[in-house]
Amino acid sequence: MADELLFNPRTYDPAHFDPETRRLLRATVDWFENRGKRRIIEDYRTRAWLGDFLAFAAEEKLFATFLTPAGEGAGDQRWDTARIAALNEILGFYGLDYWYAWQVTILGLGPVWQSGNDAARARAARLLAEGEVFAFGLSEKSHGADIYSTDMLLEPDGEGGFRATGSKYYIGNGNAAGLVSVFGRRTDVEGPDGYVFFAADSRHSSYHLVKNVVDSSKFVSEFRLQGYPVAAEDVLHTGRAAFDAALNTVNVGKFNLCTASIGICEHAMYEAVTHAANRVLYGRPVTAFPHVRRELADAYVRLVGMKLFSDRAVDYFRTAGPDDRRYLLFNPMTKMKVTTEGEKVIDLMWDVIAAKGFEKDNYFAQAAVEIRGLPKLEGTVHVNLALILKFMRNHLLEPADYPAVPTRLDAADDAFLFRQGPARGLGSVRFHDWRPAFDAYDRLRNVARFREQADALCEFVRTAAPDEAQSRDLDLLLAVGQLFALVVHAQLVLEQAALTGLDDDVLDELFAVLVRDFSAHAVELHGKDSATEEQQSWALGAVRRPVVDEARSARVWTRVEALSGAYEMRP
């Protein structure tokens, strides 16, 4: 029996989308399946550029259809987060290199679609239609993504334009982008008013490609502009708007990391379970050992949780607006929480399959490497945890009234993502009450037990929250952030479970894992150097043991065991 919760190319039929989206997603799956596992692994091992895949995408107008907002294109072209997420998952499933070329194209387009420059937007739409990729020239070798300190300098040319000189570092697609959105600052204007985002062409003679800074098919470039001519029609944003465009672009782009992580884990899980189920040690299948069953079952329910959270977060992205900015919490959650869950999923499976995970003929070997990158892209885990903390008090203690958000799979353009406005005011964002999602599942004992921990965290925020001195201790704050992130993760998992009718056994088994996670982070908080006696006491009081149900665990194991042989990529 095929598992309906995991992506399986053998059975994949995205019938919930419109016909053209459905055709393109299926065509992408078929292109990879026809290419075959041996060729994909060999391309990964030899660091081959992705020319064949990009040629396929150009012929099908895949990027143009999915990444051209409705107002800039025609027909089925629109910016639809639901189908973008579906393609992220597929590309991650077959190889993160393919996803990366697509992801940095999304980032490169962000400043363009936010711009009031009609000529630049028309140029981007034309380049997409021609099959070009894009790049996002923000980070620099000396400063990383610290946009306050950019050394890309624009000197006025006396004719209304500029000459740009400076280097950018860690810029995906910098070797081939038809348009690179580059962030810099004017030499004649001090402070934030001097920021500029402009469009450059990687084929221009004043654009110098230095190298690929990673040993990978992903072309993560260092490039240098030397007196690059920036005409008025190349300027995308100036002043504070350029700063906001940088942050709002990352808001759009970081969301894609979660579903790429999901795709990686799904492919690896088919390989891992199939190998373990057919491996005999001491006269018994490996999957007969209790610790193996626990590890694979934990990996499975964590992966299901990743999918549930990410799918539900799509709905909040698509319903966002000036008066509903809840996506600003759920976005760093997908980037930080889902991707670190992906690392745990891979580690659990790797503990089971051991040396098999290194073999060059398996997808798993590259999955084990690539899964590490996603928590570290678009801001580290620490950066995103610190961001999440800004929302904690309002989310836990100050709920507001919002209309119910439905599942959003409609063929609509997510136009608000390119008019998010100033990137500030996070402390004023309000959220709907998280408790009803738990109330709907109080029949499940581990959901009820986790609810006790969530209520305890609310009490911590009321009575034992970090004081002014502790608020400067990021090490302590990050431990608190992990506890809060678990509550937010659990909330959206439950919301999506209710919308999809998820099996109670799977959900209760997942919450047994989350109860253990919360307890582990509480113990971590207890051990922090600056934790007060009151905080230490609270932390130990929040520790809970999951409710054990052997029959439930056995039923979940049956689902995991059925993954053996359910999918194998053609040679």
Side-chain angles (χ1 to χ4, degrees), residues 291-325:
H291 69 287
V292 168
R293 291 191 173 196
R294 181 192 61 78
E295 288 184 310
L296 291 179
D298 280 5
Y300 174 77
V301 296
R302 283 187 188 277
L303 177 52
V304 170
M306 291 164 65
K307 294 200 73 168
L308 292 168
F309 183 91
S310 300
D311 286 347
R312 186 56 174 153
V314 166
D315 301 332
Y316 289 100
F317 245 70
R318 303 200 71 196
T319 57
D323 300 319
D324 182 354
R325 299 201 296 161

Side-chain angles (χ1 to χ4, degrees), residues 201-209 224-229:
D201 184 346
S202 69
R203 300 171 184 86
H204 193 280
S205 60
S206 296
Y207 180 106
H208 304 286
L209 185 64
R224 179 170 179 79
L225 303 185
Q226 187 65 49
Y228 187 98

Side-chain angles (χ1 to χ4, degrees), residues 113-281:
W113 296 143
Q114 294 177 67
S115 175
N117 185 330
D118 293 339
R121 293 203 311 272
R123 174 183 168 191
R126 173 178 56 79
L127 290 171
L128 277 170
E130 293 171 356
E132 297 280 2
V133 293
F134 290 66
F136 186 53
L138 182 66
S139 65
E140 298 177 10
K141 190 172 185 177
S142 299
H143 310 295
D146 177 6
I147 56 182
Y148 294 99
S149 305
T150 178
D151 290 330
M152 177 64 70
L153 303 179
L154 286 82
E155 184 176 355
D157 62 6
E159 299 177 0
F162 305 93
R163 292 282 177 176
T165 298
S167 296
K168 292 292 180 178
Y169 194 82
Y170 224 84
I171 310 303
N173 289 352
N175 61 317
L179 189 154
V180 186
S181 295
V182 183
F183 186 85
R185 60 184 173 89
R186 297 174 57 161
T187 59
D188 61 328
V189 178
E190 294 293 329
D193 290 341
Y195 293 140
V196 179
F197 242 125
F198 63 95
D201 184 346
S202 69
R203 300 171 184 86
H204 193 280
S205 60
S206 296
Y207 180 106
H208 304 286
L209 185 64
V210 179
K211 63 180 178 180
N212 186 357
V213 304
V214 298
D215 187 17
S216 169
S217 296
K218 305 175 197 68
F219 205 102
V220 187
S221 71
E222 178 183 4
F223 70 80
R224 179 170 179 79
L225 303 185
Q226 187 65 49
Y228 187 98
V230 180
E233 57 267 26
D234 298 322
V235 175
L236 303 172
H237 301 274
T238 60
R240 177 73 196 197
F243 180 93
D244 290 336
L247 296 182
N248 289 336
T249 293
V250 173
N251 281 342
V252 174
K254 76 166 65 172
F255 185 78
N256 299 310
L257 279 69
C258 63
T259 33
S261 180
I262 289 166
I264 292 173
C265 291
E266 287 170 321
H267 197 156
M269 179 158 277
Y270 287 119
E271 283 193 345
V273 175
T274 300
H275 170 71
N278 292 278
R279 175 86 163 163
V280 176
L281 290 178

Side-chain angles (χ1 to χ4, degrees), residues 28 31-32 35-57 62-63 87-106 133 173 216-219 260 363 366 370 569:
T28 304
W31 185 85
F32 283 110
R35 196 167 183 80
K37 185 176 185 178
R38 189 175 298 115
R39 177 68 182 277
I40 286 176
I41 291 175
E42 186 63 19
D43 286 348
Y44 176 79
R45 291 179 59 241
T46 60
R47 289 83 167 166
W49 174 240
L50 312 173
D52 291 350
F53 169 67
L54 295 178
F56 156 77
L62 178 64
F63 289 13
L87 186 56
N88 287 330
E89 184 177 4
I90 291 169
L91 297 180
F93 187 92
Y94 290 107
L96 199 67
D97 290 345
Y98 305 100
W99 170 86
Y100 186 74
W102 147 267
Q103 161 70 356
V104 292
T105 292
I106 288 173
V133 293
N173 289 352
S216 169
S217 296
K218 305 175 197 68
F219 205 102
Y363 175 84
Q366 71 183 70
E370 300 295 348
M569 191 173 183

